[in-house]
Amino acid sequence: MPKRFHNADVLLPPATGLKRGLAITYDALISIAVLLVATWIYTIIAGQLTGWEKYEQMAEAGQIKGGPGLTFTLFLVLYLFFGYFWTRVGQTLGMQVWRVRIQNLDGVSVSWSQALRRYVTAAAAVFLALLAGYYLGAVSLLFSIPAIVTLFVPFNGLSLTDRMSDSVVVEVEKKKL
C-alpha cells in the first residue's frame, strides 16, 4: 500500500545535484557492504551445494569465477535493498542523512515498478560506463563521466532516473523538535 508523505497540494523543492551526489556516495558505501554480505552468503550456499572439499580445490585452482548466477544475485539483492527503502519510506539511509526523498508528484511513495525502472536506468548507465572503461581505457572517461552526471543531476528539476520512473527527488524539511 502506498504511503502518503504529505498532502497533494504541498510542493517540496527538488533536491539539488549536490545533495543527490552526497546521498549517492553515502549509499554507495552501504551498497558495498550489502554486496559483500550477499557474496559471502552466495559463497556459503555454493560451497554447500558443491561440497566443501571440491569447492576448496576449485578455488585453489582458480576455477571459481563470478559467473551469471552471482551477478544476477547481486543485481537482485541491490534492487530489493533500494526498492524496499524507496517504496516504504522513500529514503535510503544516505537519503535520510541528506534529507532528500523519492516520491511521486502528489506526495505518495513510489511503486515497486517505478523503483525497478529507476534502478535499471541507473544500473544500465553505470554498467555501460564500466564496460566502456574496460574496453576503451581512460579515454572512455570523456564519455562515461558526463553520462553518469546526466543520469543523476537534475535539469529543470528532474534527472534522467526521475523521468524514467515518473518520480521526483525532493528536499525534505528538517523535523522540528
Side-chain angles (χ1 to χ4, degrees):
M1 184 170 145
K3 180 179 179 181
R4 177 163 293 285
F5 299 119
H6 56 78
N7 293 332
D9 59 344
V10 176
L11 276 176
L12 297 176
T16 63
L18 177 64
K19 280 195 170 190
R20 286 175 186 240
L22 292 170
I24 288 169
T25 303
Y26 195 105
D27 286 334
L29 296 173
I30 295 169
S31 296
I32 290 170
V34 169
L35 292 175
L36 285 172
V37 171
T39 303
W40 176 69
I41 292 170
Y42 182 90
T43 303
I44 288 175
I45 292 171
Q48 288 286 0
L49 294 175
T50 307
W52 284 108
E53 289 181 20
K54 183 177 179 183
Y55 194 77
E56 187 176 342
Q57 290 171 354
M58 290 170 63
E60 288 174 358
Q63 296 173 336
I64 297 177
K65 296 192 168 56
L70 178 60
T71 302
F72 175 75
T73 301
L74 296 179
F75 186 83
L76 182 64
V77 164
L78 270 186
Y79 166 63
L80 294 173
F81 172 77
F82 283 106
Y84 175 80
F85 283 105
W86 290 341
T87 59
R88 298 293 178 249
V89 293
Q91 296 173 298
T92 57
L93 299 173
M95 295 171 85
Q96 289 175 18
V97 169
W98 295 102
R99 293 193 322 269
V100 295
R101 177 176 56 225
I102 295 173
Q103 64 181 35
N104 288 315
L105 281 173
D106 61 357
V108 175
S109 62
V110 296
S111 66
W112 278 96
S113 64
Q114 286 176 294
L116 180 62
R117 285 183 284 160
R118 182 177 200 88
Y119 178 71
V120 168
T121 302
V126 172
F127 173 74
L128 291 174
L130 291 174
L131 196 63
Y134 181 77
Y135 285 109
L136 300 175
V139 169
S140 69
L141 293 176
L142 297 172
F143 306 105
S144 58
I145 288 178
I148 291 176
V149 167
T150 324
L151 186 68
F152 298 109
V153 173
F155 294 101
N156 297 330
L158 296 174
S159 68
L160 182 60
T161 52
D162 295 340
R163 293 175 201 281
M164 295 301 289
S165 63
D166 296 323
S167 61
V168 293
V169 178
V170 296
E171 291 192 23
V172 180
E173 297 174 358
K174 197 172 191 177
K175 292 184 181 179
K176 297 175 184 173
L177 298 176

